[in-house]
Amino acid sequence: MAVVPLQTKHTLTLITNNIPTCHRPSLLRLRVTCSVTTITKSRHNREKLVVVNPPLSNDTTLQSTWSHRLWVSAGCTTVFVSFAKSIIGGFGSNLWLEPALAGFAGYILADLGSGVYHWATDNYGDGSTPLVGTHVQDSLDHHECPWTITERQFANNLHFLARGTTLMVLPLDLAFDDHVLHGFVSTFAFCVLFCQQFHVWAHGTKSKLPPLVVALQDIGLLVSRTRHVDHHRAPYNNNYCVVSGVWNKCLDESKFFEALEMALYFKLGVKPRSWIDPNSQWSEETNSSKC
């Protein structure tokens, strides 16, 4: 048991001059007890502060519903049909270069599209914005507590973009059989559908990710934590692309998004959130007690 020194501003003689002798021992015991209690509580609280990122398994907002799963299944089905049409068309025509190049173009443009969409939802609108309000609110919540994205269940994280993918790709599946077109559509739609999962992996640590994902991140085919982490550091206005991140350097160095923000401000008078000093919680190292 540690010895706790008794410290007072004045001597005990001055404090106890007017107190009967029979009561002085109990006063002394009381003061010592309070001192010990205060120090113990302070040490206990200090230990609590190092606890971070508690599990959120019981948070229903992070859990998948059957509606989420159905939309993700529908999105995956439409993408698979488009991909199958591209492969079958390639076998039938013996022409593989065109659909392969179209697929590569879809992959590159999907990264650009993810950046533009990510920039827009980060900087404009709120939870009541038509069509994308849910995603805007999710984006704001994500910036307050970045690590929570890794706690979202699979379908919960993908269902919103799965709806858009289904509604975009299904008509193309029904209307066209061109294998070059579907080479582009299937790759673009696949990357759009799963870009939020790529985003989740960019917040994960290598030791917890599948080896294939780590390998794809290392060679630059998927955005990695090291490429994405600056997005969650001041000034919070860069590294928006979350498929491969290949566009980030070009867009950031050319001030592309800053130019868009200026154009929208002069045209509509709307300031992006990146112009306002963000809350100090907007960082990768967020204290979990505030999440």
Side-chain angles (χ1 to χ4, degrees), residues 3-254:
V3 177
V4 181
L6 176 66
Q7 296 179 353
T8 60
K9 187 174 181 181
H10 304 286
T11 64
L12 287 176
T13 303
L14 294 176
I15 296 174
T16 59
N17 275 342
N18 298 322
I19 300 176
T21 304
C22 61
H23 293 300
R24 289 179 190 176
S26 62
L27 175 63
L28 184 59
R29 285 196 298 272
L30 176 61
R31 291 176 65 80
V32 171
T33 301
C34 291
S35 179
V36 171
T37 302
T38 302
I39 292 174
T40 303
K41 185 175 181 181
S42 175
R43 286 176 180 170
H44 181 64
N45 287 343
R46 197 178 304 152
E47 291 177 357
K48 275 188 173 181
L49 291 178
V50 301
V51 180
V52 295
N53 295 9
L56 299 175
S57 56
N58 294 326
D59 189 341
T60 56
T61 64
L62 305 178
Q63 297 175 357
S64 298
T65 66
W66 282 109
S67 174
H68 297 163
R69 296 184 183 100
L70 288 173
W71 275 114
V72 172
S73 298
C76 290
T77 300
T78 57
V79 171
F80 177 78
V81 170
S82 178
F83 180 71
K85 285 193 171 188
S86 177
I87 295 297
I88 293 171
F91 275 112
S93 64
N94 291 319
L95 297 176
W96 295 100
L97 180 60
E98 291 86 347
L101 291 175
F104 180 72
Y107 164 74
I108 295 297
L109 290 178
D111 187 57
L112 175 61
S114 74
V116 173
Y117 182 78
H118 194 178
W119 162 78
T121 54
D122 272 8
N123 286 285
Y124 300 98
D126 55 31
S128 62
T129 302
L131 299 179
V132 297
T134 300
H135 223 212
V136 172
Q137 188 59 54
D138 287 346
S139 177
L140 297 177
D141 294 341
H142 170 59
H143 275 279
E144 290 183 0
C145 296
W147 61 271
T148 57
I149 194 173
T150 62
E151 299 286 336
R152 284 188 178 274
Q153 293 184 354
F154 179 75
N156 178 289
N157 196 36
L158 301 187
H159 75 96
F160 183 83
L161 292 176
R163 296 184 188 190
T165 300
T166 302
L167 297 176
M168 175 183 71
V169 178
L170 181 59
L172 299 176
D173 286 345
L174 297 175
F176 302 101
D177 292 322
D178 186 275
H179 67 294
V180 177
L181 172 66
H182 283 289
F184 174 85
V185 169
S186 60
T187 308
F188 181 86
F190 175 86
C191 292
V192 168
L193 174 58
F194 286 97
C195 70
Q196 275 296 87
Q197 186 59 45
F198 305 154
H199 189 183
V200 170
W201 289 332
H203 281 272
T205 55
K206 287 189 174 184
S207 61
K208 295 181 180 180
L209 295 177
L212 178 60
V213 171
V214 174
L216 293 174
Q217 289 181 342
D218 287 344
I219 63 177
L221 290 179
L222 293 182
V223 66
S224 65
R225 185 183 182 93
T226 54
R227 284 189 175 189
H228 181 66
V229 68
D230 285 342
H231 178 69
H232 291 278
R233 292 173 177 166
Y236 310 99
N237 63 355
N238 52 52
N239 290 276
Y240 287 106
C241 302
V242 292
V243 174
S244 65
V246 69
W247 281 92
N248 282 329
K249 184 177 181 180
C250 174
L251 294 173
D252 295 341
E253 290 182 352
S254 67

